[in-house]
Amino acid sequence: MADTGLLISHSFDENGIVSEDIYRKLMLDKLEFNEGMLMENVVAQMLVAAGHNLYFFSSYSKDDASQNMEIDFLISKAITTSRHNVTAIEVKSGKNYTTTSLDKMGKNMGT
């Protein structure tokens, strides 16, 4: 969704929370929700505003869970060179996070 405020309103509208309450709880860190969703949306807005096209990567293996990975954004360079033309961006929120998918992508790319 292109508007982070609208995303929050729609996400909690089904729970019957009044919009005013949503933002008050959000500002006071009293709203329990997937903060990653919000942060990914904020980063997406910033990247689009900077002129980037947004790409996403997901790989799933039902046979080998260690091969599963998801990268939030892949951004290509404006000018193509012989190396590192795509940047992987993984958005994290909160204090506890891992870089498992980025690590796997780096290993697969030989970096």
Side-chain angles (χ1 to χ4, degrees):
M1 182 168 284
D3 183 308
T4 303
L6 190 57
L7 173 66
I8 293 170
S9 296
H10 280 269
S11 296
F12 293 99
D13 186 45
E14 67 186 41
N15 296 330
I17 301 174
V18 178
S19 294
E20 190 175 299
D21 291 337
I22 292 170
Y23 293 104
R24 185 179 311 110
K25 288 179 179 182
L26 183 63
M27 298 288 283
L28 297 173
D29 198 26
K30 303 283 185 195
L31 188 62
E32 293 185 28
F33 71 106
N34 178 357
E35 291 179 12
M37 167 190 72
L38 177 61
M39 291 301 113
E40 286 175 11
N41 195 271
V42 169
V43 171
Q45 283 183 290
M46 294 170 65
L47 291 170
V48 168
H52 294 283
N53 291 319
L54 302 181
Y55 300 96
F56 167 85
F57 178 80
S58 179
S59 174
Y60 174 76
S61 170
K62 62 182 175 181
D63 298 324
D64 185 3
S66 71
Q67 295 301 311
N68 296 350
M69 71 175 146
E70 180 179 298
I71 302 295
D72 296 326
F73 302 102
L74 296 172
I75 304 301
S76 61
K77 280 185 178 179
I79 299 172
T80 303
T81 61
S82 61
R83 188 174 162 106
H84 304 298
N85 293 311
V86 175
T87 300
I89 300 172
E90 186 67 14
V91 179
K92 300 295 181 187
S93 64
K95 296 175 184 171
N96 300 321
Y97 62 88
T98 64
T99 59
T100 305
S101 289
L102 280 176
D103 296 341
K104 287 179 191 178
M105 179 167 268
K107 188 189 306 183
N108 291 341
M109 303 294 287
T111 59

